[in-house]
Amino acid sequence: MLMKNKIIYTILIYIFCHCTSFAQDQFYNFETKTIEITEDGNLLKANYGKVVSSDKNFEIKGNEFLYSKNTKILNINGDGSIQIRSNNLYVEFDIGFIDQKKFIFEATGEVKVKDLNRNLEINSNKIVFNYKENILISSSRSQIIDNYQNKLITENFEYNINKEIIKLNELNLTDRNNNNLKSSIAYINTKTNNLYGKNIFINLRNETLNKNNEPRLKGNSIINNDVSTKITKGVFTTCKKRDGCPPWELSAKKIEHDKKNKIIKYENAFLKIYDKPIAYFPKFSHPDPTVDRKSGFLTPSLKNSSNSKNFLSLPYYLVVSENSDLTFSPRLYDHEEVLLQTEYRKVNSNSNHISDFSFKINDDKKLKSHFFYEYNRGIKLDNFIDSNFDFKIQSTSKDTYIKKNKIKSKLINSENLLENSAKLSLSRNDMSVNFETIIYEDLDKNDSDRYEFLIPKIDVTKKIKNKTNLNGDFTFKSQALTKNYNTNIFETININDLIFQSNSKVTNKGFYNNYEFIIKNTNTNAENSLNYKNKENVYMSGLLQFNSSLPLIKENNNYKKILNPKLALKISPNHTKDNRNDDFKINTNNIYNLNRAVKQDMIEGGLSLTYGNEFSVLDKENFLEVFGFKVANNIRIKENSDLPRNSQIGQKTSSILTEIFYQPNDHIKFNYNTSIKNDLTNINYENLTTEFKINNIVTNFDYLNENNSEDNIAYLSNTTKLLIDNSNQISFSTRRNKTIDLTEYYNLAYQYKNDCLTASVEYNKEYYSDRDLKPNESIFLKLSIIPFNKDDPKFLK
């Protein structure tokens, strides 16, 4: 019998059944576009619609249905889906069947199962569901996505819905934080979301500074959920995977990863270096690799010294709050001495605080200390784009305390010169204003002359609109300060500059020409000063400079050659203040500057011509300057004896300044600066720096000879490194003072470093003496394990 209509028919199977036994079995309601019954009513075919079980538990949709009365099997083909209301399951599939006798539903193709009760999604190419026992099985590779969006891939699984347990073989789990877990066999409790596994291996997401690290855990068994991971007989390391044992690992009876607090905890742990146990910890913890800031010990160090005695340093990093932290660095000496150093940092929305202080108790029970502090605050003012206030304190209880104890702090730039200051900086597009009050303390001077006061110091820079016919830019600069130094020397200074710089013009011949001038007014009032008259004084002067250059370029496929002759003509009608004993270094780069060889409060007087040439060769393929040569000289009609003598810039012919640069490849680098006396009889300044790379050896030389300064500084230094391989290197450095013919120091160091471990041994020998500082010989030992022993954790900035 064939029935084809455009309407949807609802037919009960027992209507066309020829025996009462069939009517008593489970039956289906068909709501489809077409139905065909054949084989004396034993076979029913239907297309496009849905089939609902008589108890309403199953609702099945598909393109084709085939039901056999004899086998009691319903086949579904094409765009199939089934909703099993008793278990709140929804399944999408390509091909499937229901076997009433075996209580089995089987689906193949692209199969997606949704457990709406547990918010689970299962993707597979074959599943079998026993709806009598409520067990869902897949023997093929499947993916499960849980309530927390963790993705689990398994070779096969069995889901017992009644017991709320999923058994997974060869599990590969990636959680929402991109951590990866593998287990040979695992169980998931869908009610508690706990995962239980054996023979587990976990790859943790790497958030360390070294992207080569591969942090991981392994163990015999695991209990894992969204809050924590607990492992028995586990091993943790961050080292990159390699053949053999990792450089370091922590093995423990129990390991717990606290995901909420981002801490890894250990019980009965051994630290192993290349599989050799070197330390035991009954309990131990450190931040997991995702942590930026977490309290914990930093890299310890051990130093043996003949001068400052032997000590062990154990720095500890403490997160105080969300916006503050500190580093506590105690030194434990082998005698009854202790040095306690702390750096505290706090960052607010518009301000920063950093303090660094230490206390040292010597074996004579005397207390010595230092204190450094910096405060910075951004200020919002309507008339300025950027406004900042800075406050700085630097002090020490003894002059040699910082140098002798090798106090390291980013708050100071010198071991001998300390600064205490308050500064206010205001700026906008056309103007900047700086107010400063500064007190310098020179620890090398005696008590009465060590302080220099700048109270106050005001700098103003203002761009002026050009309302003249001159084509260029005007700038006005003004500085006012009161200075007190060497106990009884007082100087009040006001300097005003009007500066003009024209726009460059290119002539038909290719010359680049421009001019610039400065008009300077200096007002001073001094007492006991050697620099200014000891009364009120007014100084006015001006200088006009014309600049010209003719860049010539020649190039081929490989190189670009540039020859650039230059000149600068200076004209100033005024005399120069006596500046002859000042130490101003003139070189090939600053000799063309407008006010090059004098203090800020004066102008270089007279008529002079600076001329020179620059030649360079550029490697176009490697974007590298392989050769450079500069030469410059200054001539003047009348000698100016008030200018600094060290460069002969005031004589009719100055020293000849040269610079030679040569780098033919990555293996050789050479730079030589000289200042040759005008009579060519002597070199009054020279600085030679070189770098050579030969296979695994890198050596640098630095030679300086200043015959044109009162100190007559001369030294030769060398640093050489032997790169044994990617992990091992030996370095040596020394410096010899050529003026007094004395070696200042030797440093010899060996370092082993890989992606997760650094070990070094350094030998230092220093020959200089300074008050209670004596020649010193020391050995420094350091071992760094990454990441929980960091030299530089991500401090607040």
Side-chain angles (χ1 to χ4, degrees):
M1 178 174 61
L2 179 63
M3 305 174 64
K4 293 183 179 180
N5 295 300
K6 293 183 179 179
I7 63 174
I8 299 177
Y9 296 93
T10 301
I11 297 180
L12 299 178
I13 296 174
Y14 61 82
I15 294 177
F16 56 85
C17 180
H18 296 283
C19 61
T20 58
S21 62
F22 184 77
Q24 294 173 351
D25 292 334
Q26 183 178 352
F27 58 89
Y28 299 97
N29 294 328
F30 286 77
E31 299 177 10
T32 59
K33 289 186 177 180
T34 64
I35 294 179
E36 179 182 357
I37 301 175
T38 60
E39 297 183 7
D40 296 329
N42 289 321
L43 192 65
L44 185 149
K45 295 180 180 179
N47 296 318
Y48 301 106
K50 68 178 181 180
V51 177
V52 181
S53 64
S54 59
D55 59 2
K56 307 296 184 181
N57 188 35
F58 293 165
E59 181 178 309
I60 309 128
K61 295 181 181 179
N63 294 338
E64 297 179 0
F65 299 94
L66 181 64
Y67 181 75
S68 171
K69 164 194 165 182
N70 295 329
T71 61
K72 295 187 178 182
I73 293 176
L74 173 65
N75 290 282
I76 310 102
N77 296 319
D79 293 330
S81 67
I82 181 171
Q83 184 174 356
I84 306 174
R85 291 188 172 89
S86 61
N87 300 108
N88 209 7
L89 295 178
Y90 179 78
V91 185
E92 297 176 356
F93 55 90
D94 292 332
I95 301 173
F97 70 86
I98 299 175
D99 188 332
Q100 291 177 249
K101 293 182 178 179
K102 297 180 179 179
F103 304 98
I104 291 296
F105 163 65
E106 180 176 311
T108 57
E110 292 187 11
V111 182
K112 178 184 288 187
V113 181
K114 293 183 178 179
D115 183 346
L116 302 178
N117 288 335
R118 299 302 181 197
N119 198 19
L120 291 174
E121 180 182 306
I122 301 171
N123 297 285
S124 183
N125 54 34
K126 182 180 180 181
I127 63 102
V128 178
F129 178 56
N130 185 321
Y131 53 84
K132 183 178 181 180
E133 303 292 337
N134 285 331
I135 295 176
L136 179 66
I137 297 173
S138 176
S139 59
S140 61
R141 187 179 180 86
S142 305
Q143 181 191 66
I144 302 174
I145 302 175
D146 67 12
N147 186 42
Y148 299 101
Q149 297 303 304
N150 300 319
K151 295 181 180 180
L152 301 84
I153 297 175
T154 177
E155 295 303 315
N156 55 77
F157 72 87
E158 178 182 305
Y159 180 14
N160 191 317
I161 296 175
N162 292 337
K163 294 182 179 180
E164 299 177 312
I165 294 293
I166 306 176
K167 178 183 177 182
L168 309 105
N169 290 309
E170 302 301 331
L171 170 65
N172 187 333
L173 181 154
T174 302
D175 67 16
R176 61 184 178 184
N177 296 318
N178 209 30
N179 299 307
N180 179 258
L181 181 150
K182 296 180 181 178
S183 175
S184 61
I185 183 170
Y187 298 86
I188 296 177
N189 186 315
T190 59
K191 183 177 181 179
T192 63
N193 291 308
N194 283 350
L195 182 147
Y196 305 86
K198 292 183 178 180
N199 303 321
I200 59 96
F201 194 97
I202 302 175
N203 292 306
L204 299 172
R205 184 181 64 178
N206 182 18
E207 291 292 332
T208 64
L209 297 177
N210 188 343
K211 298 306 177 183
N212 291 322
N213 285 158
E214 294 179 304
R216 57 197 183 274
L217 282 160
K218 65 178 180 180
N220 286 1
S221 63
I222 185 174
I223 302 175
N224 180 73
N225 52 44
D226 197 55
V227 176
S228 68
T229 299
K230 297 179 180 179
I231 298 171
T232 60
K233 295 184 179 179
V235 178
F236 171 77
T237 186
T238 63
C239 299
K240 185 179 180 180
K241 296 174 183 176
R242 48 175 53 83
D243 294 336
C245 60
W248 72 266
E249 65 181 22
L250 273 167
S251 61
K253 183 179 180 180
K254 293 181 181 179
I255 300 177
E256 180 180 357
H257 181 200
D258 185 338
K259 299 178 183 179
K260 181 179 179 180
N261 296 312
K262 297 184 178 181
I263 297 175
I264 299 179
K265 304 174 184 178
Y266 303 82
E267 290 186 16
N268 296 325
F270 285 91
L271 172 62
K272 296 182 179 180
I273 304 295
Y274 284 104
D275 211 29
K276 302 295 183 182
I278 65 168
Y280 168 75
F281 307 96
K283 290 185 181 293
F284 182 74
S285 66
H286 64 82
D288 74 17
T290 65
V291 172
D292 286 347
R293 300 169 59 240
K294 197 70 178 179
S295 300
F297 284 99
L298 305 179
T299 305
S301 58
L302 178 64
K303 186 171 184 179
N304 181 296
S305 173
S306 61
N307 192 10
S308 58
K309 303 180 181 179
N310 308 326
F311 67 82
L312 172 66
S313 176
L314 291 171
Y316 185 84
Y317 175 69
L318 176 65
V319 177
V320 179
S321 66
E322 186 177 292
N323 66 331
S324 62
D325 55 25
L326 63 84
T327 304
F328 176 61
S329 304
R331 296 184 191 176
L332 308 177
Y333 291 84
D334 55 1
H335 291 72
E336 294 183 3
E337 294 187 7
V338 177
L339 189 150
L340 306 176
Q341 182 177 2
T342 302
E343 181 178 286
Y344 173 76
R345 299 162 291 270
K346 186 172 183 178
V347 177
N348 298 319
S349 58
N350 294 314
S351 64
N352 298 311
H353 302 258
I354 303 179
S355 63
D356 187 315
F357 53 91
S358 72
F359 302 94
K360 185 180 181 183
I361 303 174
N362 291 336
D363 47 14
D364 59 2
K365 306 303 180 183
K366 292 184 179 180
L367 181 67
K368 298 178 178 63
S369 63
H370 87 270
F371 178 74
F372 306 145
Y373 175 74
E374 276 192 19
Y375 171 73
N376 173 267
R377 180 177 178 83
I379 305 172
K380 293 183 179 181
L381 297 176
D382 293 338
N383 296 325
F384 293 93
I385 298 174
D386 189 20
S387 305
N388 288 284
F389 174 74
D390 296 283
F391 181 71
K392 184 182 295 186
I393 298 175
Q394 296 175 2
S395 67
T396 180
S397 61
K398 188 174 183 179
D399 295 346
T400 58
Y401 176 77
I402 299 172
K403 184 185 295 184
K404 182 177 181 180
N405 293 286
K406 299 189 182 301
I407 300 295
K408 302 298 181 183
S409 174
K410 57 187 177 184
L411 299 185
I412 60 170
N413 299 318
S414 171
E415 296 176 333
N416 301 316
L417 187 64
L418 303 183
E419 176 186 335
N420 295 271
S421 61
K423 302 178 182 180
L424 176 64
S425 302
L426 312 173
S427 65
R428 64 189 188 202
N429 292 334
D430 64 337
M431 185 178 182
S432 66
V433 183
N434 295 309
F435 301 90
E436 299 178 78
T437 296
I438 308 174
I439 302 174
Y440 293 109
E441 181 182 4
D442 191 337
L443 301 179
D444 287 335
K445 292 185 177 181
N446 59 50
D447 291 342
S448 61
D449 294 337
R450 64 172 51 203
Y451 294 102
E452 179 179 336
F453 301 87
L454 300 179
I455 305 176
K457 182 174 180 283
I458 304 172
D459 290 277
V460 179
T461 301
K462 170 72 174 174
K463 293 182 180 179
I464 302 175
K465 290 184 178 180
N466 189 350
K467 297 181 180 181
T468 69
N469 295 326
L470 301 177
N471 185 16
D473 298 315
F474 281 97
T475 303
F476 174 74
K477 293 183 178 181
S478 181
Q479 182 184 91
L481 66 91
T482 299
K483 181 190 296 187
N484 170 221
Y485 59 98
N486 289 350
T487 306
N488 63 345
I489 298 177
F490 297 89
E491 298 172 350
T492 300
I493 307 165
N494 171 232
I495 304 169
N496 303 291
D497 293 337
L498 179 64
I499 303 170
F500 175 79
Q501 185 173 33
S502 73
N503 298 327
S504 296
K505 290 185 177 180
V506 183
T507 69
N508 294 333
K509 299 294 185 179
F511 286 92
Y512 283 73
N513 299 328
N514 83 315
Y515 66 94
E516 50 191 329
F517 65 78
I518 179 172
I519 299 173
K520 183 180 290 288
N521 162 238
T522 302
N523 307 291
T524 61
N525 188 4
E527 182 180 340
N528 302 318
S529 175
L530 299 177
N531 299 318
Y532 302 102
K533 295 180 179 180
N534 290 316
K535 61 180 180 179
E536 291 186 3
N537 186 60
V538 178
Y539 172 84
M540 288 289 296
S541 186
L543 186 149
L544 173 66
Q545 177 170 313
F546 172 76
N547 304 304
S548 183
S549 63
L550 180 63
L552 304 172
I553 301 175
K554 182 180 181 180
E555 62 182 310
N556 53 32
N557 293 334
N558 299 321
Y559 297 99
K560 177 188 285 188
K561 300 178 182 179
I562 303 174
L563 181 66
N564 189 21
K566 302 171 68 174
L567 64 84
L569 177 65
K570 295 177 183 289
I571 303 174
S572 176
N574 299 84
H575 74 280
T576 307
K577 290 185 178 182
D578 189 354
N579 200 33
R580 69 189 69 188
N581 294 321
D582 290 335
D583 185 15
F584 281 88
K585 292 182 174 60
I586 303 297
N587 55 49
T588 57
N589 296 313
N590 65 18
I591 194 171
Y592 301 99
N593 291 351
L594 181 63
N595 209 23
R596 61 193 170 187
V598 292
K599 293 180 179 179
Q600 188 180 354
D601 58 2
M602 64 183 68
I603 290 288
E604 176 185 335
L607 173 65
S608 67
L609 175 67
T610 302
Y611 63 95
N613 211 335
E614 298 178 354
F615 177 71
S616 59
V617 179
L618 307 177
D619 184 340
K620 296 167 65 176
E621 180 179 356
N622 298 312
F623 302 99
L624 179 70
E625 182 180 1
V626 297
F627 179 77
F629 175 73
K630 297 179 182 179
V631 61
N633 184 242
N634 186 82
I635 58 175
R636 60 179 68 245
I637 297 175
K638 185 179 179 180
E639 183 175 328
N640 187 342
S641 59
D642 291 325
L643 291 175
R645 292 177 294 188
N646 55 2
S647 60
Q648 299 180 309
I649 196 70
Q651 297 187 18
K652 290 185 176 181
T653 302
S654 73
S655 299
I656 300 172
L657 309 174
T658 66
E659 180 181 353
I660 301 173
F661 174 81
Y662 182 55
Q663 186 179 3
N665 49 50
D666 293 335
H667 303 290
I668 299 174
K669 186 183 292 185
F670 173 93
N671 195 82
Y672 185 49
N673 288 276
T674 62
S675 175
I676 305 171
K677 285 190 175 181
N678 51 19
D679 58 3
L680 304 181
T681 59
N682 202 354
I683 297 177
N684 51 28
Y685 175 86
E686 59 183 332
N687 181 216
L688 172 66
T689 59
T690 63
E691 180 180 282
F692 299 99
K693 297 179 181 179
I694 305 172
N695 296 325
N696 295 332
I697 299 176
V698 180
T699 184
N700 296 272
F701 289 93
D702 184 1
Y703 172 70
L704 176 68
N705 183 19
E706 292 188 14
N707 292 322
N708 56 359
S709 66
E710 292 183 359
D711 296 332
N712 194 23
I713 300 172
Y715 66 79
L716 174 64
S717 65
N718 170 251
T719 300
T720 301
K721 292 183 179 181
L722 171 61
L723 307 177
I724 302 172
D725 52 35
N726 292 333
S727 300
N728 297 272
Q729 75 172 34
I730 298 174
S731 63
F732 171 78
S733 61
T734 185
R735 175 166 145 160
R736 186 165 186 83
N737 190 320
K738 305 293 288 184
T739 304
I740 59 177
D741 196 25
L742 174 69
T743 299
E744 296 180 358
Y745 64 82
Y746 289 112
N747 290 334
L748 177 63
Y750 165 76
Q751 183 184 73
Y752 172 80
K753 183 177 183 179
N754 56 36
D755 59 287
C756 62
L757 184 146
T758 300
S760 61
V761 180
E762 184 174 342
Y763 168 77
N764 301 317
K765 188 166 185 177
E766 299 169 343
Y767 290 90
Y768 68 86
S769 299
D770 182 10
R771 286 162 286 188
D772 61 341
L773 277 174
K774 305 301 180 184
N776 182 36
E777 191 174 13
S778 63
I779 297 177
F780 187 73
L781 305 176
K782 191 174 185 180
L783 176 66
S784 303
I785 296 176
I786 302 170
F788 54 86
N789 262 352
K790 297 180 183 176
D791 283 326
D792 186 19
K794 296 181 181 178
F795 297 133
L796 286 168
K797 295 181 180 179

